[in-house]
Amino acid sequence: MSYTGWLLAEDDRAKLLQKFPPHYHDIIAHHITLRMGEHELPLETAGEVVGVSDDGKGCQVLVVSINGTTTRPNGDVYHCTWSIDRDNLNRKPHHSKDVLKELGWVSVSPIPIKLTPMVFK
């Protein structure tokens, strides 16, 4: 399944991994989804990490603000799945949405990040 969004810049990824050490052994820390499927590329090339969430059951998430909002067009929260435990309850990256809906997130001081718009296949 393809999706459209942004690739997290490698240097920002490295800095964020230092600031937010992964809690689980499967490190994702890769992208922010705009919408599922292949769509026109977004224009934004920057964002800010503004929050974190962790369900304590194998899913850690960073919340991202893009163009001044954390809300995606479909109502979900812009986020980057940070780390998961695939062996614990079969956690997958898409569980990040559920964690944010169920638990919300804790604000952090905004951290600017560079983003590359792309379609992921």
Side-chain angles (χ1 to χ4, degrees):
M1 172 170 269
S2 62
Y3 52 95
T4 303
W6 299 270
L7 180 67
L8 180 62
E10 194 59 39
D11 60 333
D12 287 333
R13 182 181 191 269
K15 290 175 194 173
L16 290 169
L17 284 168
Q18 291 294 315
K19 180 145 182 81
F20 302 100
H23 293 172
Y24 308 104
H25 57 82
D26 294 302
I27 301 167
I28 309 298
H30 180 258
H31 70 276
I32 296 94
T33 301
L34 173 60
R35 58 178 55 101
M36 299 309 292
E38 292 186 40
H39 297 274
E40 187 174 320
L41 291 179
L43 300 176
E44 299 85 4
T45 58
E48 295 178 317
V49 172
V50 295
V52 297
S53 190
D54 188 334
D55 66 357
K57 299 176 188 171
C59 191
Q60 179 187 19
V61 187
L62 299 186
V63 175
V64 176
S65 174
I66 297 176
N67 204 24
T69 185
T70 59
T71 306
R72 288 172 42 183
N74 69 357
D76 287 339
V77 175
Y78 284 124
H79 65 276
C80 182
T81 302
W82 205 241
S83 69
I84 58 174
D85 187 340
R86 294 183 194 274
D87 297 329
N88 182 17
L89 302 175
N90 196 26
R91 299 303 260 177
K92 295 187 169 122
H94 69 83
H95 288 126
S96 294
K97 292 187 304 185
D98 300 331
V99 169
L100 292 169
K101 284 179 184 175
E102 293 170 17
L103 301 176
W105 45 282
V106 176
S107 295
V108 299
S109 294
I111 303 167
I113 54 174
K114 297 177 291 300
L115 302 169
T116 302
M118 62 188 316
V119 174
F120 301 88
K121 297 183 181 189

